[in-house]
Structures are given as C-alpha cells and as structure tokens.
C-alpha cells in the first residue's frame, strides 16, 4: 500500500478520497487554486500545494504543476477524482513518465474508451450492442445532416469526448439540425477541446442504466451491479439509485455480462462504469439495451453502489493501483437493500436550472439518519464557504440506504426536508418534489421524466401568512429565540394600557411586505400583516419555525423549501429610481461566447441576442420584449452576475435579468 498520495482534484471528491486514505493510514497531499485557498479539502489533507489562479485552465488542468507538486512532496501516486484530468490519457502518460503511479486505468484503456465514436466501434467488435447511429470520423455538416435523415428523427447530437451532457443536443426536426450542431460543437470545444460529434437515434423512452465494473492488473474483472441514473435535467444526473427499479434477472444478467466483457476487451484496471441506454417503452427486456459510453474513472454516484454492496470503491482503487488483486471475487459481491443519491446544487430550478453563486451563510444537514435507514453526506464545503463561478456548483450529495426502495425513498424525502441551506439559490425543493412525484415513486422513470413534469417539479408555492409572519417575527428580534436568551428584549418596554407595537418592513423578491408586531400578555407575539394578506397570526415562541438569519436576510424553512426575505436597511437610500430602464442583465457570471445582434438592430420578443457560457454550459439569452438595441456586451467579454448585457433604446420598464433557454 502507498504511504502518500496526491489528489488532483477539489471539493467533495477530494474530501471523499482523503477519508478513505486516512482510514488506510495513507498520507494525503491536496492541491488548490486561489479560489480554494481556504477550502475544506485543502484543510483536511496532511499537506496542501498551491497550483495556480482560479480558472481551471490555470490550475486544476495544469498537469505539469500537479506532477511537480507530487514529486515535491514525495507522493508515490496521484488520484484524479472525477472531472478535470481524470480521463485525460496524456496526463496519465505525464504521471507515469515522472515515475509515479496513476490511480486509475492505463492511458491505453482511456484512449480506447475516451472518444465515444471509437469506443462504439470497439464495442461492436467485442459483441456488445451499441445504439444505432453514425460514429464515423467525417464531420462535414452535409454528411452529418444526411446521416441524421438516414437514422430518422428525432436524433441526438453528442460530443464524442467528455460527458455530463455537455455538447449534447436533442433534435426533433431537420430544420433545427444546423443550429443544434453549431451549438453542440461550441459547447464541446469549450468543455473538452474537441468539437467533433456523433449522431444517434433518439430512444423514445430511454432509461439510463449503468454497470459498475472493476478490474485489476492480473486480468480479473467483476461488476458491482447496476445503478439507474435516468432522473436527469439537461442530460445531467439529478437523483441516482441502486439497484435499478423494475430490473429483471434476465436483463441484469445480460447487462452485467456485457459490461464485464467490455472491460476485459480493453484489459481494464481500476474503477469504471459502462453506461447503457435502455428502451423502456415495452418494459425492461434483455434485447433492448445498448452500449452508450464508458467512464474510465470513479463516478459521482459511486456511493449508492457502495451502500448496496458494502464496499469502499476508493479503497479498492488504492489497493489495485498499489499492485494488489481485487479484494473480492464475483461470487462474493452481493446486493443488499436499496440506495438513493440526491445531488444538491446551487442552482435555480425555476429558471431552467441556471447555476447560482453565493456564500453559504447557513448550511445544516440532518444530524442523524431517518429511522430505519443509513445516511451519508458527501460534501466539500462548510458554512461560510462561497460557491464559485469557476467550478461545478455542487454543494453536497445526500445518500440514503434502507431495506427496500420504498423505505429508502421515504428516507430520502425526510433527509431533504431536514436540510437547511441559505445564502444561495439551491435545488432542495426540486429534489424533494421529484422524490414525491408519483411516476418516480412508482419507479416509472426515464430520462424525459423531468422534462415532461418540469413546470410542476420546479414550482414553489408562495409563502403562507404563517411563513411571512415568522420572517417578520425574526426580523423584529422577537423571533431570535434560538439565538437569544432574552426573547423579550427587542419588544420590551413600558406601554401604558396597551401592548408595545413595532412596525416592520420586509421584501420577498420584488414584493414589499409591511406588518405590525406586538407582544401579548400571555407571552406570545402577534403579527398583523398589511394588505394583501389581511391576516393576523399569533406565534408562541416555544414553537418558532426553522429559520436562519444572515446579513440583511432571513430564510424560513418549510420542509425542503427555503423562503428568503430581504430585511431593508431603513437608513439606506433606495437606488430603485436610478436603476437602468430597459436593460437585460447577466443571470450569473460567465463569458459572452457569441453575439447575434448589433447596436441599432431592431429585435422581437424571443429573438436570440447572445450566448452566455457559464460553467462550460451554453445559455441562450433572448429578447424579453420587442425593442431596438442601444448597447450590447462584446463577444469574448467576461461578465459578472448582474452585469448589463443589453440596453434597449426604448424604455420597457424596470431592468430585467436574462434567462437561459
């Protein structure tokens, strides 16, 4: 076993590797960028080395600096985590050339599976079924469009490199093919440095089911059963589970055998995942699944496999890379119970899952697992940490395990309802609503489920009078019971013949709220809300709702929903009158990738104005109304959250925030 390893990653996966290494007595070295100087992973490791500025191209993608850090600290091996350089064969060559060990597959195995088109040709030769489509080298638009017509619409354009839904476009009609191809190529180039694509038949009711495989350097390969990752938005996974609901013995046998066959075809060593697309339109059948791609690394969702098989896949990685054989044979790996993983992101589900930034002023996960279940919280952040625009906005992975799917799903719902995050827009309410969706609960899941139900899944009921009253109470100081030994102090004082009354102002979004708070003789506080609420709520301080107070804000938690109210500074001058009229602002920090219009152009509502690239995903910014362009951001310019992207000649009311399409 190694004595010291370097982890070429950040965030929750770096923390995850550190925990297992510590259990095995292996010392760890973290690397960090400027943005991560005070990060949890850098603090947890035994040593930490600075490798550059915040942008990934100047830090976490600098293989030379990472190798130098490993050599300089005496590390024997490098664990890549996932993302960044984890599937870069050139980096593997760098590591090996430096006399270090790469904790993962060989460069040859990564190259064999790294490009989707070449991988599918290889799988065809190995006898593994592949999705019908064009996987060739030629990339002329005329040829690709012709192949799409031959395959038959709808089709899926996919970047041949990378994953995570980047460079992927679903095309329903031939007229949309050219625009979708251009967009997919731009996104693929930005994310992977390769704009080549393949075109495949779009399966009508696709299930995304993947098989965890593991190989060693002695020719052994096993599977650790399957995971279902069909709950996706924008082709990115949201909730994963193991085993797959509705899985039949015949299909499991066929899929796991195909997965092991694929691993052995490339002499695979280490953790890997064989991803299959399954046509569920006629139920799960052993002749209706096809190889999609192989991820030659540890997957984000690996904890669900660990939960149902009782394994530590990171420990397996370290043991195999250090020269040991697989810890278990196939006959020793058994399934037990059911597990779910929910990915908690800083994102605005109601606005098309736009990534969000912010400071995590309040971060609280369930202290104990729901009754009858086990639970893991995989995170790389703490309260007070910032969600940076430079990296993936994942906050945590909430993982639960129970005896069966129904019990595990109930545990997931309970844990999500007990999670409290304030300071950034997050997706906990969406996850909880998805977990309660009747189709999802029944296991009738496919990759289009979220898209079909998106409006209902992302809708959040407005705050009730009780929730607003709780926020008012907290803003007055009376609701400070969890933080104050003297809840009476803010309203205490002498008032002859009548209760002392305090006038309060709050804002919920753009909506102004006014209320009166008074203290009753029985020790409760009465909150009278002005119109349009016209309600009076009395609150017993022994039953104050869950809430968090942070600079100029109060967040009240109702289940998995966090309602955030702004507490105006009564002494601050309002800048509303000075706000620019008829302007369109950036919804997040990003790069203006492409500008479609110019100053002086007349545009109509819905017309594409520019493409904003944020976190390596493209977001289309469209005109919110008819108008004439007065100013527009320059192509290639870097913008911050709230930066004015477009100004219109004619006033159209208050400034708006751009929305991605």
């Amino acid at each position: 076993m190694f004595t010291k390893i370097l982890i070429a990653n950040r965030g929750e996966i770096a923390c995850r590797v550190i925990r297992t290494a510590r259990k095995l007595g292996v010392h760890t070295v973290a690397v960090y960028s400027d943005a991560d100087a005070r990060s949890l992973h850098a603090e947890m490791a035994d040593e930490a080395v600075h490798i550059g500025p915040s942008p990934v191209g100047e830090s976490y993608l600098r293989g030379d600096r990472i190798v130098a850090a490993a050599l300089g600290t005496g590390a024997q091996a490098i664990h890549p985590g996932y993302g960044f350089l984890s599937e870069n064969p050139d980096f593997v060559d760098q590591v090996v050339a430096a006399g270090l060990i790469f904790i993962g597959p060989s460069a040859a195995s990564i190259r064999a599976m790294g490009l989707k088109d070449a991988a599918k040709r290889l799988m065809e030769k190995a006898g593994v079924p592949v999705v019908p489509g064009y996987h060739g080298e030629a990339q002329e638009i005329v040829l690709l469009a012709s192949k799409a017509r031959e395959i038959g619409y709808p089709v899926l354009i996919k970047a041949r490199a990378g994953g995570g839904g980047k460079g992927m476009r679903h095309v329903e009609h031939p007229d949309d093919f050219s625009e979708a191809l251009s967009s997919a190529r731009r996104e693929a180039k930005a994310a992977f440095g390769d704009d080549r694509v393949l075109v495949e038949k779009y399966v009508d009711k696709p299930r995304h089911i993947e098989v965890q495989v593991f190989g060693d350097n002695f020719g052994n390969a096993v599977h650790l059963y399957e995971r279902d990752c069909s709950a996706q938005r924008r082709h990115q996974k949201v909730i994963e589970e193991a085993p797959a609901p509705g899985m039949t013995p015949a299909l499991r046998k066929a899929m796991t055998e195909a997965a092991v066959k694929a691993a052995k075809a490339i002499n695979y060593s280490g953790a890997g995942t064989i991803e299959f697309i399954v046509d569920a339109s006629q139920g799960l059948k052993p002749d209706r699944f096809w190889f999609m791609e192989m991820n030659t690394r540890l997957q984000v969702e690996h904890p669900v496999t660990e939960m149902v098989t009782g394994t530590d896949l990171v420990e397996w990685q370290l043991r195999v890379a250090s020269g040991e054989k697989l810890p278990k044979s196939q006959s020793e790996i058994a399934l037990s119970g059911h597990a779910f993983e929910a990915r908690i992101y800083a994102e605005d589900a109601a606005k098309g899952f736009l990534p969000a930034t912010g400071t995590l002023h309040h971060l609280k996960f369930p202290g104990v697992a729901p009754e009858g279940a086990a639970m893991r919280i995989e995170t790389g952040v703490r309260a007070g940490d910032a969600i940076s625009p430079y990296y993936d906005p994942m906050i945590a992975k909430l993982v639960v395990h129970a005896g069966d799917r129904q019990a595990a799903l109930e545990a997931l719902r309970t844990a999500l309802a007990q999670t409290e995050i304030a300071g950034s827009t997050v997706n906990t309410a969406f996850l909880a609503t998805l977990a309660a969706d009747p189709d999802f609960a029944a296991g009738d899941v496919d990759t289009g489920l979220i898209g079909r139900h998106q409006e209902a899944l992302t809708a959040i009921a407005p705050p009730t009078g009780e929730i607003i009253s709780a926020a008012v109470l907290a803003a007055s100081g009376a609701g400070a019971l969890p933080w104050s030994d003297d809840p009476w102090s803010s309203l205490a004082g002498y008032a002859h013949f009548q209760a002392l009354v305090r006038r309060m102002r709050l804002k919920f979004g753009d909506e102004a709220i006014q209320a009166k708070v008074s203290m009753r003789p029985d020790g409760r506080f009465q909150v009278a809300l002005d119109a349009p609420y016209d309600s009076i709520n009395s609150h017993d301080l022994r039953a104050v709702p869950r809430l968090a107070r942070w600079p100029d804000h109060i967040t009240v938690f109702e289940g998995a929903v966090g309602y955030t109210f702004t507490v105006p500074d009564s002494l601050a001058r309002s800048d509303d009158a000075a706000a620019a009229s008829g302007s369109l602002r950036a919804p997040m920090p990003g790069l203006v990738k492409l500008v479609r219009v110019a100053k002086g152009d007349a545009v109509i509502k819905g017309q594409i104005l520019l493409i904003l690239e944020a976190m390596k995903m493209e977001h289309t910014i469209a005109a919110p109304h008819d108008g004439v362009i007065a100013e527009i951001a320059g192509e290639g310019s870097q913008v911050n959250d709230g930066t004015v992207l477009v100004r219109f000649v004619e006033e159209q009311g208050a400034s708006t925030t751009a929305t991605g399409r």
Side-chain angles (χ1 to χ4, degrees), residues 116 120 131-135 144 147-148 151-160 165 167-173 177 180-181 184 197-203 206 208 232 234-235 277 292-293 447:
K116 296 182 181 70
K120 290 183 178 182
V131 180
Y134 173 71
H135 310 130
L144 294 175
K147 293 296 182 182
I151 296 166
Y153 284 88
V155 299
L156 199 61
I157 299 172
K158 299 173 66 175
R160 73 169 195 162
M168 185 181 295
R169 296 293 184 273
H170 174 208
V171 189
E172 291 277 357
H173 193 274
F177 186 83
L181 176 63
V197 301
L198 49 86
V199 183
E200 293 180 343
K201 179 65 180 174
Y202 183 81
V203 179
H208 181 140
Q232 302 178 6
R234 297 186 318 192
H235 305 293
I277 196 78
M292 190 164 54
E293 62 183 331
T447 59

Short mmCIF file of all heavy atoms in Angstrom, two decimals, residues 116 120 131-135 144 147-148 151-160 165 167-173 177 180-181 184 197-203 206 208 232 234-235 277 292-293 447:
data_model
loop_
_atom_site.label_atom_id
_atom_site.label_comp_id
_atom_site.label_asym_id
_atom_site.label_seq_id
_atom_site.Cartn_x
_atom_site.Cartn_y
_atom_site.Cartn_z
N LYS A 116 -16.29 8.64 -27.89
CA LYS A 116 -17.48 7.81 -27.99
C LYS A 116 -17.58 7.05 -29.31
O LYS A 116 -18.02 5.91 -29.35
CB LYS A 116 -18.73 8.68 -27.79
CG LYS A 116 -18.84 9.32 -26.41
CD LYS A 116 -20.11 10.12 -26.29
CE LYS A 116 -20.25 10.80 -24.92
NZ LYS A 116 -19.30 11.89 -24.76
N LYS A 120 -17.49 2.96 -29.52
CA LYS A 120 -18.63 2.18 -30.02
C LYS A 120 -18.20 1.22 -31.13
O LYS A 120 -18.71 0.10 -31.22
CB LYS A 120 -19.73 3.13 -30.49
CG LYS A 120 -20.38 3.82 -29.29
CD LYS A 120 -21.53 4.72 -29.65
CE LYS A 120 -22.11 5.29 -28.35
NZ LYS A 120 -23.26 6.15 -28.56
N VAL A 131 -25.92 1.68 -29.73
CA VAL A 131 -27.07 2.44 -30.23
C VAL A 131 -26.90 2.67 -31.73
O VAL A 131 -25.82 3.06 -32.19
CB VAL A 131 -27.17 3.80 -29.51
CG1 VAL A 131 -28.36 4.59 -30.03
CG2 VAL A 131 -27.29 3.61 -28.02
N PRO A 132 -27.97 2.50 -32.53
CA PRO A 132 -27.88 2.80 -33.95
C PRO A 132 -27.53 4.26 -34.18
O PRO A 132 -28.09 5.15 -33.53
CB PRO A 132 -29.30 2.50 -34.45
CG PRO A 132 -29.89 1.57 -33.45
CD PRO A 132 -29.29 1.96 -32.14
N GLY A 133 -26.56 4.52 -35.06
CA GLY A 133 -26.19 5.90 -35.32
C GLY A 133 -24.94 6.01 -36.17
O GLY A 133 -24.41 5.00 -36.65
N TYR A 134 -24.46 7.24 -36.34
CA TYR A 134 -23.23 7.50 -37.10
C TYR A 134 -22.10 7.78 -36.13
O TYR A 134 -22.17 8.73 -35.34
CB TYR A 134 -23.42 8.70 -38.04
CG TYR A 134 -22.13 9.11 -38.72
CD1 TYR A 134 -21.57 8.31 -39.72
CD2 TYR A 134 -21.48 10.27 -38.35
CE1 TYR A 134 -20.38 8.66 -40.33
CE2 TYR A 134 -20.28 10.64 -38.96
CZ TYR A 134 -19.74 9.83 -39.95
OH TYR A 134 -18.55 10.19 -40.54
N HIS A 135 -21.05 6.95 -36.19
CA HIS A 135 -19.92 7.07 -35.27
C HIS A 135 -18.62 7.25 -36.03
O HIS A 135 -17.53 6.95 -35.52
CB HIS A 135 -19.82 5.82 -34.37
CG HIS A 135 -21.11 5.47 -33.71
ND1 HIS A 135 -21.66 4.20 -33.72
CD2 HIS A 135 -21.99 6.24 -33.03
CE1 HIS A 135 -22.81 4.20 -33.06
NE2 HIS A 135 -23.03 5.42 -32.62
N LEU A 144 -23.26 14.87 -41.90
CA LEU A 144 -23.94 14.62 -40.63
C LEU A 144 -25.45 14.78 -40.75
O LEU A 144 -26.22 14.00 -40.19
CB LEU A 144 -23.39 15.55 -39.55
CG LEU A 144 -21.92 15.35 -39.16
CD1 LEU A 144 -21.48 16.42 -38.17
CD2 LEU A 144 -21.70 13.97 -38.56
N LYS A 147 -26.77 11.77 -42.52
CA LYS A 147 -26.83 10.61 -41.62
C LYS A 147 -28.02 10.72 -40.66
O LYS A 147 -28.66 9.72 -40.34
CB LYS A 147 -25.53 10.48 -40.84
CG LYS A 147 -24.32 10.12 -41.70
CD LYS A 147 -24.47 8.75 -42.33
CE LYS A 147 -23.24 8.37 -43.13
NZ LYS A 147 -23.40 7.03 -43.78
N ALA A 148 -28.29 11.94 -40.21
CA ALA A 148 -29.43 12.14 -39.32
C ALA A 148 -30.73 11.74 -40.02
O ALA A 148 -31.61 11.12 -39.41
CB ALA A 148 -29.49 13.59 -38.87
N ILE A 151 -30.87 7.93 -40.19
CA ILE A 151 -31.19 7.34 -38.88
C ILE A 151 -32.66 7.53 -38.57
O ILE A 151 -33.33 6.64 -38.05
CB ILE A 151 -30.32 7.99 -37.78
CG1 ILE A 151 -28.85 7.68 -38.02
CG2 ILE A 151 -30.75 7.53 -36.39
CD1 ILE A 151 -27.90 8.54 -37.21
N GLY A 152 -33.18 8.73 -38.92
CA GLY A 152 -34.58 9.06 -38.66
C GLY A 152 -34.75 9.90 -37.42
O GLY A 152 -34.22 9.55 -36.36
N TYR A 153 -35.45 11.01 -37.55
CA TYR A 153 -35.68 11.91 -36.42
C TYR A 153 -36.71 11.33 -35.47
O TYR A 153 -37.60 10.59 -35.91
CB TYR A 153 -36.12 13.28 -36.94
CG TYR A 153 -34.99 14.09 -37.52
CD1 TYR A 153 -34.64 13.98 -38.86
CD2 TYR A 153 -34.24 14.95 -36.71
CE1 TYR A 153 -33.58 14.71 -39.40
CE2 TYR A 153 -33.19 15.69 -37.24
CZ TYR A 153 -32.87 15.56 -38.58
OH TYR A 153 -31.82 16.29 -39.09
N PRO A 154 -36.58 11.65 -34.16
CA PRO A 154 -35.61 12.54 -33.53
C PRO A 154 -34.24 11.88 -33.40
O PRO A 154 -34.13 10.66 -33.31
CB PRO A 154 -36.21 12.81 -32.15
CG PRO A 154 -37.01 11.58 -31.87
CD PRO A 154 -37.57 11.13 -33.19
N VAL A 155 -33.18 12.73 -33.39
CA VAL A 155 -31.82 12.25 -33.22
C VAL A 155 -31.16 12.98 -32.06
O VAL A 155 -31.66 14.00 -31.59
CB VAL A 155 -30.98 12.43 -34.50
CG1 VAL A 155 -31.57 11.65 -35.66
CG2 VAL A 155 -30.83 13.91 -34.85
N LEU A 156 -30.03 12.45 -31.65
CA LEU A 156 -29.25 13.05 -30.58
C LEU A 156 -27.86 13.34 -31.10
O LEU A 156 -27.17 12.44 -31.60
CB LEU A 156 -29.17 12.09 -29.38
CG LEU A 156 -28.81 12.67 -28.02
CD1 LEU A 156 -29.84 13.70 -27.58
CD2 LEU A 156 -28.72 11.55 -26.99
N ILE A 157 -27.46 14.62 -31.05
CA ILE A 157 -26.10 15.01 -31.38
C ILE A 157 -25.30 14.97 -30.09
O ILE A 157 -25.71 15.54 -29.08
CB ILE A 157 -26.04 16.43 -31.97
CG1 ILE A 157 -26.86 16.51 -33.26
CG2 ILE A 157 -24.60 16.85 -32.24
CD1 ILE A 157 -27.01 17.93 -33.80
N LYS A 158 -24.16 14.27 -30.10
CA LYS A 158 -23.37 14.11 -28.88
C LYS A 158 -21.90 14.39 -29.16
O LYS A 158 -21.35 13.91 -30.16
CB LYS A 158 -23.50 12.68 -28.33
CG LYS A 158 -24.91 12.29 -27.95
CD LYS A 158 -25.00 10.82 -27.57
CE LYS A 158 -24.24 10.50 -26.32
NZ LYS A 158 -24.45 9.09 -25.91
N ALA A 159 -21.28 15.17 -28.28
CA ALA A 159 -19.83 15.35 -28.36
C ALA A 159 -19.17 13.98 -28.22
O ALA A 159 -19.58 13.17 -27.39
CB ALA A 159 -19.35 16.28 -27.27
N ARG A 160 -18.17 13.73 -29.04
CA ARG A 160 -17.53 12.41 -28.95
C ARG A 160 -16.60 12.31 -27.75
O ARG A 160 -16.21 11.23 -27.34
CB ARG A 160 -16.77 12.10 -30.23
CG ARG A 160 -15.47 12.87 -30.44
CD ARG A 160 -14.68 12.28 -31.59
NE ARG A 160 -13.32 12.74 -31.61
CZ ARG A 160 -12.34 12.13 -32.28
NH1 ARG A 160 -12.61 11.05 -32.99
NH2 ARG A 160 -11.11 12.59 -32.26
N GLY A 165 -23.49 15.72 -20.22
CA GLY A 165 -24.49 16.43 -21.00
C GLY A 165 -23.95 17.59 -21.81
O GLY A 165 -24.70 18.23 -22.56
N GLY A 167 -22.22 19.48 -24.80
CA GLY A 167 -22.09 19.18 -26.21
C GLY A 167 -23.14 18.20 -26.71
O GLY A 167 -22.92 17.49 -27.69
N MET A 168 -24.29 18.16 -26.05
CA MET A 168 -25.35 17.23 -26.42
C MET A 168 -26.61 18.02 -26.76
O MET A 168 -26.99 18.94 -26.04
CB MET A 168 -25.64 16.27 -25.27
CG MET A 168 -26.65 15.18 -25.60
SD MET A 168 -26.97 14.08 -24.17
CE MET A 168 -25.37 13.29 -24.00
N ARG A 169 -27.25 17.67 -27.89
CA ARG A 169 -28.47 18.34 -28.31
C ARG A 169 -29.46 17.32 -28.88
O ARG A 169 -29.12 16.49 -29.72
CB ARG A 169 -28.17 19.40 -29.38
CG ARG A 169 -27.28 20.56 -28.92
CD ARG A 169 -27.96 21.42 -27.89
NE ARG A 169 -27.15 22.57 -27.51
CZ ARG A 169 -26.22 22.57 -26.56
NH1 ARG A 169 -25.98 21.44 -25.88
NH2 ARG A 169 -25.53 23.66 -26.28
N HIS A 170 -30.70 17.44 -28.43
CA HIS A 170 -31.80 16.61 -28.93
C HIS A 170 -32.47 17.38 -30.06
O HIS A 170 -32.89 18.52 -29.88
CB HIS A 170 -32.78 16.34 -27.78
CG HIS A 170 -34.03 15.63 -28.19
ND1 HIS A 170 -35.22 15.79 -27.52
CD2 HIS A 170 -34.28 14.76 -29.19
CE1 HIS A 170 -36.15 15.05 -28.09
NE2 HIS A 170 -35.60 14.41 -29.11
N VAL A 171 -32.56 16.77 -31.24
CA VAL A 171 -33.10 17.46 -32.42
C VAL A 171 -34.33 16.71 -32.92
O VAL A 171 -34.26 15.53 -33.25
CB VAL A 171 -32.04 17.55 -33.54
CG1 VAL A 171 -32.55 18.47 -34.66
CG2 VAL A 171 -30.70 18.05 -33.01
N GLU A 172 -35.45 17.43 -32.97
CA GLU A 172 -36.71 16.81 -33.39
C GLU A 172 -36.97 16.93 -34.89
O GLU A 172 -37.67 16.11 -35.47
CB GLU A 172 -37.88 17.48 -32.63
CG GLU A 172 -37.92 17.18 -31.14
CD GLU A 172 -38.59 15.85 -30.86
OE1 GLU A 172 -39.07 15.21 -31.81
OE2 GLU A 172 -38.63 15.46 -29.68
N HIS A 173 -36.41 18.00 -35.53
CA HIS A 173 -36.77 18.29 -36.92
C HIS A 173 -35.53 18.65 -37.72
O HIS A 173 -34.62 19.32 -37.21
CB HIS A 173 -37.79 19.44 -36.95
CG HIS A 173 -38.46 19.61 -38.27
ND1 HIS A 173 -37.91 20.36 -39.30
CD2 HIS A 173 -39.64 19.13 -38.74
CE1 HIS A 173 -38.72 20.34 -40.33
NE2 HIS A 173 -39.78 19.60 -40.02
N PHE A 177 -31.45 21.11 -37.24
CA PHE A 177 -30.21 20.36 -37.11
C PHE A 177 -28.97 21.26 -37.15
O PHE A 177 -28.06 21.13 -36.33
CB PHE A 177 -30.10 19.29 -38.21
CG PHE A 177 -28.91 18.37 -38.05
CD1 PHE A 177 -28.97 17.29 -37.20
CD2 PHE A 177 -27.73 18.61 -38.74
CE1 PHE A 177 -27.88 16.44 -37.04
CE2 PHE A 177 -26.63 17.79 -38.59
CZ PHE A 177 -26.71 16.69 -37.73
N ALA A 180 -28.50 23.33 -33.94
CA ALA A 180 -28.17 22.45 -32.82
C ALA A 180 -26.74 21.93 -32.94
O ALA A 180 -26.01 21.83 -31.94
CB ALA A 180 -29.15 21.28 -32.76
N LEU A 181 -26.31 21.62 -34.16
CA LEU A 181 -24.95 21.13 -34.38
C LEU A 181 -23.93 22.20 -34.03
O LEU A 181 -22.93 21.93 -33.35
CB LEU A 181 -24.79 20.70 -35.84
CG LEU A 181 -23.39 20.24 -36.26
CD1 LEU A 181 -22.98 18.99 -35.47
CD2 LEU A 181 -23.34 19.96 -37.76
N ALA A 184 -23.80 22.55 -30.23
CA ALA A 184 -23.16 21.39 -29.60
C ALA A 184 -21.64 21.45 -29.80
O ALA A 184 -20.87 21.15 -28.88
CB ALA A 184 -23.72 20.10 -30.19
N VAL A 197 -18.41 15.38 -33.23
CA VAL A 197 -19.64 14.82 -32.66
C VAL A 197 -20.00 13.51 -33.33
O VAL A 197 -19.42 13.13 -34.35
CB VAL A 197 -20.82 15.80 -32.82
CG1 VAL A 197 -20.53 17.13 -32.14
CG2 VAL A 197 -21.17 16.02 -34.29
N LEU A 198 -20.94 12.83 -32.76
CA LEU A 198 -21.57 11.68 -33.38
C LEU A 198 -23.08 11.92 -33.36
O LEU A 198 -23.58 12.77 -32.62
CB LEU A 198 -21.19 10.37 -32.68
CG LEU A 198 -21.30 10.30 -31.16
CD1 LEU A 198 -22.71 9.91 -30.75
CD2 LEU A 198 -20.31 9.29 -30.61
N VAL A 199 -23.80 11.19 -34.19
CA VAL A 199 -25.25 11.35 -34.29
C VAL A 199 -25.90 9.99 -34.07
O VAL A 199 -25.52 9.00 -34.69
CB VAL A 199 -25.66 11.90 -35.68
CG1 VAL A 199 -27.17 12.12 -35.74
CG2 VAL A 199 -24.92 13.19 -35.99
N GLU A 200 -26.88 9.94 -33.16
CA GLU A 200 -27.51 8.68 -32.81
C GLU A 200 -29.03 8.79 -32.83
O GLU A 200 -29.58 9.88 -32.70
CB GLU A 200 -27.08 8.24 -31.40
CG GLU A 200 -25.63 7.87 -31.29
CD GLU A 200 -25.25 7.43 -29.89
OE1 GLU A 200 -26.02 7.71 -28.94
OE2 GLU A 200 -24.20 6.80 -29.76
N LYS A 201 -29.65 7.64 -32.96
CA LYS A 201 -31.10 7.57 -32.85
C LYS A 201 -31.52 7.92 -31.43
O LYS A 201 -30.92 7.47 -30.46
CB LYS A 201 -31.59 6.15 -33.17
CG LYS A 201 -33.10 5.95 -33.05
CD LYS A 201 -33.87 6.77 -34.06
CE LYS A 201 -35.37 6.55 -33.93
NZ LYS A 201 -36.12 7.46 -34.82
N TYR A 202 -32.52 8.79 -31.31
CA TYR A 202 -33.04 9.15 -30.00
C TYR A 202 -34.08 8.11 -29.59
O TYR A 202 -35.08 7.91 -30.27
CB TYR A 202 -33.66 10.54 -30.03
CG TYR A 202 -34.16 11.01 -28.68
CD1 TYR A 202 -33.27 11.54 -27.75
CD2 TYR A 202 -35.50 10.91 -28.33
CE1 TYR A 202 -33.70 11.96 -26.50
CE2 TYR A 202 -35.94 11.33 -27.08
CZ TYR A 202 -35.04 11.85 -26.18
OH TYR A 202 -35.47 12.26 -24.95
N VAL A 203 -33.84 7.42 -28.48
CA VAL A 203 -34.75 6.39 -27.99
C VAL A 203 -35.94 7.06 -27.32
O VAL A 203 -35.78 7.98 -26.50
CB VAL A 203 -34.02 5.46 -27.00
CG1 VAL A 203 -34.97 4.39 -26.47
CG2 VAL A 203 -32.81 4.81 -27.67
N PRO A 206 -36.14 6.38 -23.00
CA PRO A 206 -34.84 5.85 -22.61
C PRO A 206 -34.64 5.80 -21.10
O PRO A 206 -34.97 6.73 -20.38
CB PRO A 206 -33.86 6.84 -23.25
CG PRO A 206 -34.62 8.12 -23.32
CD PRO A 206 -36.07 7.77 -23.48
N HIS A 208 -31.48 5.33 -18.44
CA HIS A 208 -30.02 5.39 -18.35
C HIS A 208 -29.62 4.47 -17.20
O HIS A 208 -29.74 4.83 -16.03
CB HIS A 208 -29.57 6.83 -18.09
CG HIS A 208 -28.09 7.00 -18.00
ND1 HIS A 208 -27.43 8.07 -18.55
CD2 HIS A 208 -27.12 6.24 -17.44
CE1 HIS A 208 -26.14 7.96 -18.32
NE2 HIS A 208 -25.93 6.86 -17.63
N GLN A 232 -32.78 12.92 -14.94
CA GLN A 232 -31.80 13.88 -15.44
C GLN A 232 -32.47 15.17 -15.87
O GLN A 232 -33.60 15.17 -16.34
CB GLN A 232 -31.04 13.30 -16.64
CG GLN A 232 -30.33 12.00 -16.37
CD GLN A 232 -29.63 11.45 -17.60
OE1 GLN A 232 -29.59 12.09 -18.65
NE2 GLN A 232 -29.09 10.25 -17.48
N ARG A 234 -31.24 18.49 -18.36
CA ARG A 234 -30.21 18.94 -19.30
C ARG A 234 -29.15 17.85 -19.49
O ARG A 234 -27.97 18.12 -19.60
CB ARG A 234 -29.54 20.23 -18.81
CG ARG A 234 -30.48 21.41 -18.71
CD ARG A 234 -29.74 22.69 -18.37
NE ARG A 234 -28.71 22.53 -17.36
CZ ARG A 234 -28.09 23.52 -16.75
NH1 ARG A 234 -28.39 24.76 -17.06
NH2 ARG A 234 -27.17 23.30 -15.85
N HIS A 235 -29.60 16.59 -19.54
CA HIS A 235 -28.71 15.44 -19.73
C HIS A 235 -27.72 15.27 -18.59
O HIS A 235 -26.71 14.59 -18.75
CB HIS A 235 -27.96 15.55 -21.06
CG HIS A 235 -28.85 15.71 -22.26
ND1 HIS A 235 -29.70 14.72 -22.68
CD2 HIS A 235 -29.03 16.75 -23.09
CE1 HIS A 235 -30.37 15.14 -23.75
NE2 HIS A 235 -29.98 16.37 -24.01
N ILE A 277 -27.98 2.64 -22.60
CA ILE A 277 -29.29 3.23 -22.82
C ILE A 277 -30.25 2.06 -23.00
O ILE A 277 -29.96 1.11 -23.74
CB ILE A 277 -29.30 4.18 -24.04
CG1 ILE A 277 -30.53 5.08 -24.02
CG2 ILE A 277 -29.17 3.46 -25.35
CD1 ILE A 277 -30.42 6.23 -23.06
N MET A 292 -23.60 2.83 -24.47
CA MET A 292 -23.60 4.26 -24.74
C MET A 292 -22.18 4.82 -24.64
O MET A 292 -21.68 5.47 -25.55
CB MET A 292 -24.54 4.96 -23.76
CG MET A 292 -24.81 6.42 -24.07
SD MET A 292 -26.27 7.04 -23.18
CE MET A 292 -25.89 6.64 -21.48
N GLU A 293 -21.52 4.58 -23.51
CA GLU A 293 -20.14 5.03 -23.33
C GLU A 293 -19.57 4.39 -22.08
O GLU A 293 -20.30 3.80 -21.27
CB GLU A 293 -20.07 6.55 -23.21
CG GLU A 293 -20.81 7.13 -22.01
CD GLU A 293 -20.76 8.65 -21.98
OE1 GLU A 293 -19.78 9.22 -22.48
OE2 GLU A 293 -21.70 9.25 -21.46
N THR A 447 -35.39 9.18 -18.95
CA THR A 447 -34.62 10.42 -19.00
C THR A 447 -35.46 11.64 -19.36
O THR A 447 -35.00 12.77 -19.20
CB THR A 447 -33.45 10.31 -19.99
OG1 THR A 447 -33.96 10.02 -21.30
CG2 THR A 447 -32.49 9.21 -19.57
#
